[in-house]
Amino acid sequence: MELTGNTILITGGASGIGLALAVRFLQTGNKVIVAGRGEERLKAAQKLHPKLHTMVCDVSKEQERLELVARLLKEFPEVNVLVNNAGIQQRVNLLEANEDWAHYQNEIAINVEGPIHLSMLLLPQLKKQKKGAVINVSSGLAIRPGAWVPIYSATKAAIHSFTQSLRLQLSETDVTVIEILPPAVNTDLGGAGVHQSGAPLDEFTDEVFERLRQGDLEIGYGDSEKRLHLSGKETDLGAKEAWENFKKNNSDFQ
Ligand SMILES: NC(=O)c1ccc[n+]([C@@H]2O[C@H](COP(=O)([O-])OP(=O)(O)OC[C@H]3O[C@@H](n4cnc5c(N)ncnc54)[C@H](OP(=O)(O)O)[C@@H]3O)[C@@H](O)[C@H]2O)c1
């Protein structure tokens, strides 16, 4: 992917992986718009990085997605890259799932409906550009589920599949379709401290950026890169081992 001269929308770009990508894109001569639910968080990111543009949008809501795209096309008619990065992760014990459906549905709306609908809304625009791109941030759990985050893992598998179809459908256009599959990375995903033992954010993002520069289309890192090359049998065994390990270390899982 050409890493200079783009106009890039990054959902969930005010923190974590989205912000780390946003900063690198700013440093390499791109215009970057970050979108997120919280105005304060967006403002805080902009204070640290004054060249960032911000737009409030809850990607789980259809109307807000429509408004985001309308505003984006009006204010940045040259936009040529969409980074679907916003996501949440919820631990769910399926045997003790007593919340209203809205609680579970929200994870699906943010992680699946958001990226699919935004991709579809922006495709006519991206297709008109000389070098359009869609970058979807899925997860190593797209390949091998984490049974303690069953809905999350399913949403990421869905995005992995959608990204493959999108790439095939766009193969005769100038739009590049890229998937980033992070392993555990030290961000606030799932709540502060949950991913503390994950890969350092800057090391992970530097490597991702280098792989983008090299033109890779499926970008894993460490364990998630390995998962891309495992057999189905090895993947199943890994999921079982990870679940047993989780249960051993989380006897209070509910
Ligand atoms: N960290 C990891 O270990 C890991 C591993 C694999 C995949 N990933 C994926 O990487 C992506 C980024 O996550 P992260 O680790 O950087 O976590 P993060 O720091 O929690 O970032 C997630 C971002 O998404 C935004 N967001 C959440 N719900 C939203 C909504 N409804 N509308 C708009 N924005 C929303 C959040 O901002 P607001 O709350 O202000 O809206 C936040 O800025 C996610 O898709 C995640 O699934 C992360």
Side-chain angles (χ1 to χ4, degrees), residues 1-214:
M1 177 190 172
E2 183 70 58
L3 290 183
T4 305
N6 303 290
T7 299
I8 305 171
L9 171 68
I10 306 181
T11 67
S15 70
I17 293 170
L19 181 59
L21 284 171
V23 170
R24 280 155 185 80
F25 278 125
L26 280 181
Q27 288 164 346
T28 46
N30 301 279
K31 238 183 249 176
V32 182
I33 305 104
V34 293
R37 286 173 299 193
E39 188 154 19
E40 267 178 36
R41 182 176 260 182
L42 290 167
K43 291 285 167 236
Q46 198 179 38
K47 200 166 175 203
L48 285 175
H49 309 284
K51 286 193 170 162
L52 274 183
H53 301 272
T54 65
M55 292 189 184
V56 176
C57 173
D58 181 339
V59 301
S60 73
K61 305 215 160 43
E62 180 186 0
Q63 189 56 33
E64 294 198 27
R65 296 191 292 261
L66 291 168
E67 285 165 11
L68 172 71
V69 170
R71 184 175 165 200
L72 186 70
L73 295 179
K74 194 163 170 233
E75 294 181 22
F76 300 93
E78 75 287 12
V79 61
N80 68 318
V81 178
L82 165 65
V83 183
N84 280 310
N85 165 78
I88 64 164
Q89 184 186 76
Q90 298 178 160
R91 286 188 180 182
V92 178
N93 181 339
L94 296 166
L95 299 175
E96 304 281 346
N98 301 319
E99 304 282 349
D100 289 343
W101 172 240
H103 173 78
Y104 307 107
Q105 192 262 342
N106 190 41
E107 191 170 21
I108 299 171
I110 295 172
N111 293 4
V112 183
E113 279 185 42
I116 292 180
H117 190 202
L118 286 173
S119 301
M120 292 170 74
L121 287 171
L122 277 165
L123 273 187
Q125 163 72 11
L126 302 183
K127 256 180 18 189
K128 284 191 276 178
Q129 308 305 311
K130 279 204 197 92
K131 40 176 190 144
V134 177
I135 302 176
N136 288 334
V137 180
S138 65
S139 168
L141 299 182
I143 310 290
R144 189 188 87 186
W148 55 98
V149 285
I151 299 175
Y152 176 84
S153 299
T155 65
K156 294 301 184 176
I159 286 306
H160 177 60
S161 169
F162 177 73
T163 307
Q164 290 176 313
S165 299
L166 188 65
R167 187 177 296 126
L168 287 170
Q169 286 208 18
L170 294 180
S171 59
E172 284 168 25
T173 73
D174 292 326
V175 183
T176 307
V177 179
I178 299 164
E179 181 177 359
I180 299 172
L181 303 94
V185 177
N186 187 4
T187 69
D188 284 346
L189 185 75
V194 171
H195 286 91
Q196 214 164 6
S197 61
L201 179 59
D202 281 332
E203 284 174 28
F204 162 75
T205 317
D206 284 342
E207 166 75 9
V208 166
F209 220 65
E210 185 49 36
R211 301 270 308 269
L212 286 173
R213 193 189 307 280
Q214 287 167 11

